[in-house]
Amino acid sequence: MRLLVLGTGSMAKSQVSHFKSIDGVEVVGAVDTDPARLAEFADHFNIEKRFLALEEAIAWGDFDAATNVTPDRIHHPTTMALIAAGKHVFCEKPLAENYADALEMTTAAETAGVINMVNLTYRNVAPLQRAREMVLAGELGTIKHVEASYLQSWLVSRAWGDWRTESRWLWRLSTGHGSNGVLGDVGIHILDFAAYGAATDIDHVFARLKTFNKAPGGQIGEYLLDANDSFTMSVDFANGALGVIHATRWATGHLNELKLRIYGERGSLEVIHRPNGSQLRGCLGENIETASWADIEVAPVPTNYQRFVEAVATGKQLDPNFRHAANLQKVIDLAIVSEKERRELNLLSEEVGMTPGPEGAGNVEVLPIAV
């Protein structure tokens, strides 16, 4: 597979390191609007072809697939151009800024017959995959309750850099720079973590979003710091279970932690993922009576990168695909409406309709969703 890299920031470096370790993958070109960043990246990975515009790379055309590692706002136009050129696309999350754009990308990819995948990186967590297998095998019985959290602390800690002075963090705090806050940034991950692990769809959602004051006047330079920093979400699942999902960037002591607890009538599972590793624990069988938990061994699983390469090689679409990511974006969009309207929204409405928003908020289309 001949791979083009679109966008050469820090995540692109991580991605290319993974792709270059896979047999049969050749990174043949890189694109970035910043000449210095492009040169540094291409020199580091010994990439010969370098382009300052995607149009130039498409005109060259000597690649099979592209990984889109541009900022969120750029995903839609660049992915649409790649699809129109008949290229397979591996896109960073979120797929788009809103459901309408994500759906357009999905429809275009499916119509063109190109492989399309989204880098929901926590699908690479083997304990999550094993938990889903156990749920689907009925080892927990009917799922009754789900808890999921995504905790970060980079608004408190400088472990990853100083958000007050670095644009790579500041843009994530500003809706004017294309951010939907913690909900749009990591909310898509924890929604996927919860629904995929529990193997059931989200049915209803009620969300609260909060933006805390972080600077005098709520602004640093050109960045108006108005994107949400924390969210809480109460959800119903299609199988009747209740769920609580939340995320924040203010979780002191948690650099980057995802946690999922799945409670069933015959037992419970807990998945924890941190930068230093992940684990799966269960309270099953006789341990239920004593509330004892035991570690569960988990085998390695293929990464998203490996699955994308396999999909391109075989022509068989694999998950997580664009349609799945678009459905997650639908949850996020309606969570924002839920916050504005202070009411629960049904995401599995039988009829396609428009929910009226408050004055000035616009309308959001309510469509069926499968996560």
Side-chain angles (χ1 to χ4, degrees):
M1 183 181 79
R2 297 166 301 169
L3 183 68
L4 178 78
V5 183
L6 177 60
T8 60
S10 58
M11 189 61 203
K13 293 177 180 178
S14 174
Q15 279 205 20
V16 170
S17 295
H18 282 287
F19 276 120
K20 286 178 73 71
S21 69
I22 302 173
D23 289 341
V25 175
E26 181 184 4
V27 181
V28 295
V31 184
D32 202 300
T33 57
D34 184 323
R37 185 169 57 207
L38 174 62
E40 187 276 331
F41 179 88
D43 288 346
H44 179 78
F45 289 106
N46 194 28
I47 301 171
E48 180 182 356
K49 292 292 184 179
R50 307 164 187 203
F51 305 95
L52 292 174
L54 177 59
E55 293 79 7
E56 297 173 7
I58 290 176
W60 168 62
D62 197 16
F63 61 100
D64 307 304
T67 179
N68 192 338
V69 208
T70 58
D72 298 356
R73 178 161 287 177
I74 311 302
H75 288 179
H76 174 262
T78 52
T79 295
M80 292 297 288
L82 287 164
I83 293 170
K87 306 301 182 181
H88 307 295
V89 183
F90 185 79
C91 188
E92 260 304 320
K93 63 78 196 167
L95 182 58
E97 284 189 285
N98 55 66
Y99 175 66
D101 284 351
L103 183 61
E104 184 181 8
M105 295 158 73
T106 300
T107 302
E110 292 176 350
T111 301
V114 297
I115 298 299
N116 55 92
M117 290 181 64
V118 177
N119 191 25
L120 294 170
T121 52
Y122 299 107
R123 289 289 186 93
N124 302 333
V125 175
L128 178 69
Q129 299 280 352
R130 179 68 183 123
R132 177 180 173 87
E133 290 175 0
M134 294 176 69
V135 171
L136 290 172
E139 295 185 42
L140 275 65
T142 302
I143 305 304
K144 302 294 187 181
H145 193 86
V146 176
E147 301 174 49
S149 61
Y150 194 144
L151 306 179
Q152 294 182 328
S153 59
W154 59 264
L155 285 175
V156 181
S157 166
R158 290 180 173 84
W160 295 348
D162 189 350
W163 63 267
R164 299 167 185 82
T165 59
E166 298 180 26
S167 60
R168 63 183 178 133
W169 302 116
L170 280 168
W171 81 265
R172 297 175 187 272
L173 306 175
S174 174
T175 60
H177 287 76
S179 176
N180 279 326
V182 71
L183 176 66
D185 190 14
V186 304
I188 192 168
H189 280 312
I190 198 60
L191 287 168
D192 184 59
F193 211 72
Y196 183 78
T200 184
D201 301 334
I202 293 177
D203 188 297
H204 290 70
V205 59
F206 179 77
R208 294 297 308 273
L209 312 178
K210 182 76 172 182
T211 304
F212 295 93
N213 184 40
K214 295 176 286 297
Q219 188 165 353
I220 295 178
E222 65 179 285
Y223 298 93
L224 180 63
L225 309 181
D226 59 345
N228 60 85
D229 304 317
S230 298
F231 79 80
T232 61
M233 190 180 295
S234 174
V235 302
D236 288 16
F237 290 96
N239 72 341
L242 287 178
V244 179
I245 302 172
H246 66 99
T248 185
R249 291 168 171 152
W250 292 100
T252 305
H254 300 271
L255 289 179
N256 194 69
E257 177 188 279
L258 291 85
K259 183 177 289 185
L260 172 63
R261 294 190 177 105
I262 308 167
Y263 301 106
E265 60 186 350
R266 295 172 52 195
S268 300
L269 293 173
E270 180 182 70
V271 180
I272 303 175
H273 176 76
R274 301 186 180 99
N276 61 352
S278 55
Q279 68 180 130
L280 175 63
R281 301 194 311 150
C283 180
L284 303 162
E286 295 180 355
N287 284 344
I288 293 174
E289 302 303 330
T290 57
S292 300
W293 292 76
D295 289 337
I296 299 172
E297 291 189 11
V298 178
V301 298
T303 65
N304 288 340
Y305 313 106
Q306 291 170 318
R307 285 196 291 272
F308 180 68
V309 173
E310 177 188 349
V312 171
T314 63
K316 180 181 178 181
Q317 180 67 55
L318 297 176
D319 292 328
N321 60 21
F322 278 17
R323 184 160 295 278
H324 174 75
N327 287 337
L328 290 175
Q329 189 63 49
K330 189 190 306 181
V331 180
I332 290 170
D333 284 7
L334 291 181
I336 294 171
V337 176
S338 173
E339 157 68 18
K340 290 179 179 178
E341 299 186 359
R342 289 293 199 272
R343 70 182 181 92
E344 179 183 71
L345 292 176
N346 180 355
L347 281 78
L348 281 170
S349 174
E350 291 292 333
E351 297 181 2
V352 176
M354 301 295 290
T355 61
E359 185 176 354
N363 295 320
V364 174
E365 191 174 13
V366 179
L367 298 169
I369 176 170
V371 171

